[in-house]
Amino acid sequence: MTQVSLPAQAAGTTEQSMAGMGPGAAAAPHLHRFIFFLFILAYGISSSPAMAVEPVSGHYLSSYGKTIRLEYRVLYPPPVSLIIEQYFPSGLEIISAFPMPQIYNRSAGKMKWIFKHLQPGTYAITVEFNQPILSADIQATLRYRHPGSGLFTESTVLP
């Protein structure tokens, strides 16, 4: 075994600094750093804006020509009901639609579907008009009560 001797000054300093520490005192600075890290992590998580996932969302699969196709997705838990309004240029006539809208107003350029007893899944609405339309001339509105908060929610779907 090799013995290393320290200069008296260094040895005294080490002995003096260790003498005032109790058991585990050498780990205290690491513990403080760890607690500080946890604090910063918790603050970062709580202050970051949450990305809310809406229970209903939609987008256009086809938005010009004679046929438009709107796809909407319902997540769990679904809202009790969903109202979808499709806006289009006034005067256009529907040749076919699936599903057929409950309300169709040609002069106002508006169709409305009311869906109840929703199940999670992806659905589509397809409408064929008598004339071609441009994407800029259509939009849809999704309306429902949020299943978690009960707040009335409305979102616009643009092509």
Side-chain angles (χ1 to χ4, degrees):
M1 175 183 225
T2 310
Q3 199 170 13
V4 177
S5 62
L6 295 173
Q9 185 181 18
T13 306
T14 305
E15 288 173 6
Q16 288 171 353
S17 64
M18 295 299 280
M21 295 184 181
H30 297 293
L31 182 60
H32 289 280
R33 280 188 222 127
F34 180 71
I35 290 171
F36 179 72
F37 172 75
L38 287 177
F39 175 78
I40 295 298
L41 182 65
Y43 179 76
I45 291 172
S46 67
S47 67
S48 64
M51 296 299 292
V53 176
E54 292 299 324
V56 179
S57 61
H59 68 276
Y60 283 96
L61 297 174
S62 173
S63 60
Y64 62 91
K66 287 187 174 186
T67 303
I68 62 170
R69 188 169 167 88
L70 174 69
E71 181 179 81
Y72 63 98
R73 176 180 289 168
V74 178
L75 300 178
Y76 183 84
V80 173
S81 63
L82 170 65
I83 298 170
I84 298 179
E85 290 183 342
Q86 174 63 58
Y87 300 94
F88 56 92
S90 62
L92 288 182
E93 189 176 324
I94 295 177
I95 301 298
S96 66
F98 183 79
M100 286 300 288
Q102 283 90 351
I103 299 171
Y104 166 58
N105 187 333
R106 180 179 175 183
S107 61
K110 182 168 98 173
M111 292 176 262
K112 185 187 281 189
W113 292 265
I114 302 169
F115 300 102
K116 296 181 180 183
H117 311 291
L118 295 168
Q119 296 296 316
T122 302
Y123 305 92
I125 294 174
T126 304
V127 179
E128 183 183 356
F129 295 100
N130 64 336
Q131 299 174 36
I133 59 171
L134 301 173
S135 294
D137 292 337
I138 64 168
Q139 73 177 36
T141 302
L142 311 175
R143 291 189 184 102
Y144 57 92
R145 290 211 177 270
H146 196 282
S149 65
L151 294 175
F152 181 75
T153 304
E154 179 177 300
S155 61
T156 301
V157 180
L158 298 171

